């Protein structure tokens, strides 16, 4: 861009600044890219937590939804009417915001999935408004390294499919996501697979746990005896599990609590991690149930905080997707309490596919068996993660190169739409 050119107006969009560290980390990775590669771009956000985004990242931010109670269940007539009115107001607000931009980036996250409870008139509707008004006004909308998964609810599935079709640019964080969108009828022939955007974030300096003599396989040094990070989640199953959400949550809590109690009983220090503000009551419940000075809660507000905690640990057991990403990125042997296929795919891609345990059927005894096997192979797995992380970093680099070509085309080159719905 020359000094005579008008700065490109770029928006970022999503449930950003709303208490989820993974979403915020994805935003941070995109902002770092824009500041590094396109420093003259004028950037602002339409997001779930505008106050947090403005303070944390120093960009102007607008609230995603006009009705502030959008993500609370409406039971009274007044709340239901306000929520319905908000849908109409949001259509106008989104259109006005989109029209004021040359490009809008949806930074990663699982925007094309419903692996957690999700109503069609919530975020799926907001994403559809973004992509539809982007197509209407000629604003380039990019879904960047996003996740997708099969969706049971027909309306949610339709809104998600049309959002993807109307976007100018799409890329995915794994093959599973692209295959899912292809199965819904989206033309993915030009869509690439890269890596989760969190792999672009810097890792913390090496800690003593990284530089100490590692644990080995049979015949090598003894298994680790240091800190174990356990990432917990306010887990109630997916959007399709609403009828048995209470039972899923009970079983998850019982299995996780028994596992943490067993670690403390073996004399292992345990640090409880979260990935969303919603997880804090789960931490409190585990602390209360285990009641051991060896079990403490980490205060983390970013993926950088999570990586710092994890880098000082010997081993990680985690549920939330971006807890797993952080653990794998810093090279710490990790066991996934997996709640969806995306976690299984991530673990397999990083060479730890054998170390997944279903979160819906959390069994403390089986979890302990897998944990001990993981620790016996710690040294070899650290080496594997080191190699896989180099490949992941290259994939993210290629993602940003492709994004520049898609959103910042050479002067005078017409931009071809991706697909005619």
């Amino acid at each position: 861009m020359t000094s005579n050119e008008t700065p490109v107006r770029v928006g970022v969009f999503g449930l950003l600044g709303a208490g989820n560290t993974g979403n915020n980390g994805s935003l941070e990775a995109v902002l770092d890219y824009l500041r590094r590669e396109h420093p003259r771009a004028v950037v602002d956000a339409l997001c779930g937590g505008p106050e947090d985004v403005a303070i944390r990242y120093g960009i102007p931010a607008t609230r995603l939804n006009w009705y502030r109670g959008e993500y609370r269940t409406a039971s009274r007539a007044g709340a239901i009417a306000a929520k319905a009115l908000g849908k109409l107001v949001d259509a106008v607000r989104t259109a006005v915001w989109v029209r004021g931009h040359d490009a809008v980036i949806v930074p990663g996250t699982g925007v094309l999935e419903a692996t957690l409870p999700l109503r069609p008139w919530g975020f799926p509707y907001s994403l559809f408004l973004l992509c539809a008004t982007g197509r209407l006004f000629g604003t380039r909308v990019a879904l960047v390294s996003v996740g997708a998964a099969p969706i049971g609810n027909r309306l949610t599935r339709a809104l998600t499919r049309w959002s993807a079709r109307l976007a100018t640019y799409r890329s995915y964080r794994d093959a599973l996501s692209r295959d899912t969108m292809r199965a819904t009828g989206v033309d993915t022939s030009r869509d690439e697979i890269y890596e989760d955007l969190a792999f672009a974030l810097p890792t913390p300096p090496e800690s003593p746990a990284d530089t100490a003599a590692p644990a080995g396989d049979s015949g090598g040094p003894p298994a680790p005896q240091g800190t174990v990070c356990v990432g917990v989640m306010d887990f109630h199953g997916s959007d399709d599990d609403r009828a048995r959400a209470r039972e899923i949550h009970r079983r998850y809590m019982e299995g996780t609590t028994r596992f943490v109690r067993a670690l403390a009983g073996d004399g292992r220090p345990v640090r409880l991690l979260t990935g969303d503000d919603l997880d804090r009551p789960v931490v409190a419940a585990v602390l209360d149930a285990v009641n051991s000075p060896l079990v403490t809660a980490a205060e983390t507000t970013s993926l950088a905080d999570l990586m710092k905690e994890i880098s000082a640990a010997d081993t990680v057991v985690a549920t939330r997707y971006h807890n797993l990403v952080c653990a794998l990125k810093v090279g710490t042997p990790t066991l996934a309490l997996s709640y969806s296929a995306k976690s299984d795919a991530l673990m397999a891609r990083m060479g730890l596919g054998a170390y997944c345990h279903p979160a819906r059927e959390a069994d403390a005894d089986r979890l302990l068996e897998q944990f001990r096997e993981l620790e016996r192979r710690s040294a070899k797995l650290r080496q594997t993660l080191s190699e896989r992380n180099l490949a992941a970093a290259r994939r993210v680099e290629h993602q940003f190169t492709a994004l520049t070509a898609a959103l910042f085309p050479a002067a005078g080159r017409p931009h071809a739409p991706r697909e005619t719905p």
Side-chain angles (χ1 to χ4, degrees), residues 138-204:
T139 300
R140 298 184 289 276
V141 174
L143 309 182
V144 182
S145 289
V146 298
I151 296 172
N153 183 282
R154 183 177 298 179
L155 182 54
T156 302
R157 186 169 63 247
L159 288 169
T160 299
R161 179 175 63 248
W162 278 101
S163 297
R165 283 180 169 176
L166 291 166
T168 309
Y169 173 89
R170 296 179 299 269
S171 65
Y172 306 98
R173 62 188 178 192
D174 52 43
L176 176 70
S177 296
R178 186 172 67 179
D179 292 346
T180 296
M181 296 316 297
R182 181 186 296 124
T184 68
V186 175
D187 179 5
T188 62
S189 59
R190 296 170 60 193
D191 299 353
E192 297 292 339
I193 300 165
Y194 293 105
E195 192 55 81
D196 190 271
L197 292 174
F199 280 96
L201 297 174
T203 53

Side-chain angles (χ1 to χ4, degrees), residues 275-297:
D276 193 291
D277 290 346
L278 296 172
D279 304 332
R280 295 184 186 279
V282 177
V283 169
V286 173
L287 287 173
D288 184 61
V290 176
N291 191 25
S292 167
L294 289 172
V295 183
T296 56

Side-chain angles (χ1 to χ4, degrees), residues 221-300:
Q225 291 299 317
T227 299
V228 180
C229 283
V230 177
V232 299
M233 179 178 179
D234 184 29
F235 179 62
H236 296 78
S238 72
D239 195 54
D240 296 331
D241 292 325
R242 289 179 182 271
R244 57 193 189 102
R246 184 173 298 179
E247 172 60 21
I248 288 172
H249 183 67
R250 183 195 64 78
R251 187 163 184 174
Y252 172 78
M253 289 297 297
E254 285 183 359
T256 303
T257 302
R258 280 190 59 211
F259 175 71
V260 171
R261 185 180 291 118
L263 291 178
D266 287 343
R268 299 294 292 273
V270 177
R271 293 285 278 170
L272 299 178
L273 307 178
T274 62
D276 193 291
D277 290 346
L278 296 172
D279 304 332
R280 295 184 186 279
V282 177
V283 169
V286 173
L287 287 173
D288 184 61
V290 176
N291 191 25
S292 167
L294 289 172
V295 183
T296 56
E299 293 295 329
T300 57

Side-chain angles (χ1 to χ4, degrees), residues 13-204:
F13 177 96
L15 294 176
L16 314 167
N20 184 285
T21 54
N23 292 0
N24 289 351
S26 300
L27 169 62
E28 184 178 342
V30 165
L31 292 178
D32 287 348
Y33 150 74
L34 289 171
R35 288 164 177 159
R36 181 178 65 251
E37 301 295 333
H38 306 283
R40 295 195 63 229
V42 177
V43 182
D44 73 316
L46 184 63
C47 59
E51 297 86 359
D52 184 75
V53 167
I55 293 170
R56 189 186 296 259
Y57 302 109
I59 61 173
T62 303
R63 185 171 298 280
L64 179 61
N65 301 108
W66 172 78
Y67 179 55
R68 288 178 176 261
E70 174 61 37
Y71 293 97
R72 295 193 297 268
T73 301
S75 55
R76 296 186 178 184
I80 293 171
K83 186 172 280 194
L85 175 61
K87 301 305 173 188
L88 300 176
V89 175
D90 286 344
V92 176
R93 292 174 70 252
T94 302
V96 171
W97 184 81
V98 169
R99 193 173 187 179
H101 296 81
D102 299 296
V104 175
I105 297 173
V106 180
T109 75
V111 296
L112 302 177
E113 63 183 52
T115 51
L116 299 176
L118 183 70
R119 298 293 188 187
W121 296 112
F123 186 76
Y125 173 71
S126 299
L127 184 65
F128 170 75
L129 289 179
L130 169 73
C131 296
T133 54
R135 180 61 67 99
L136 179 64
F137 296 121
T139 300
R140 298 184 289 276
V141 174
L143 309 182
V144 182
S145 289
V146 298
I151 296 172
N153 183 282
R154 183 177 298 179
L155 182 54
T156 302
R157 186 169 63 247
L159 288 169
T160 299
R161 179 175 63 248
W162 278 101
S163 297
R165 283 180 169 176
L166 291 166
T168 309
Y169 173 89
R170 296 179 299 269
S171 65
Y172 306 98
R173 62 188 178 192
D174 52 43
L176 176 70
S177 296
R178 186 172 67 179
D179 292 346
T180 296
M181 296 316 297
R182 181 186 296 124
T184 68
V186 175
D187 179 5
T188 62
S189 59
R190 296 170 60 193
D191 299 353
E192 297 292 339
I193 300 165
Y194 293 105
E195 192 55 81
D196 190 271
L197 292 174
F199 280 96
L201 297 174
T203 53

Side-chain angles (χ1 to χ4, degrees), residues 211-216 221-222 378-379 382:
T211 56
S378 177
R382 283 181 180 273

Side-chain angles (χ1 to χ4, degrees), residues 356-388:
C356 294
H357 185 96
R360 286 172 180 78
E361 302 170 8
D363 182 307
D365 294 332
R366 174 60 183 146
L367 199 54
L368 280 166
E369 289 176 12
Q370 291 179 283
F371 173 79
R372 287 164 182 153
E373 173 62 21
L374 176 75
E375 292 211 313
R376 279 194 292 269
R377 300 191 61 226
S378 177
K380 185 174 182 180
L381 293 174
R382 283 181 180 273
Q383 182 180 352
T384 298
L385 286 173
S386 178
E387 295 165 357
R388 299 296 173 97

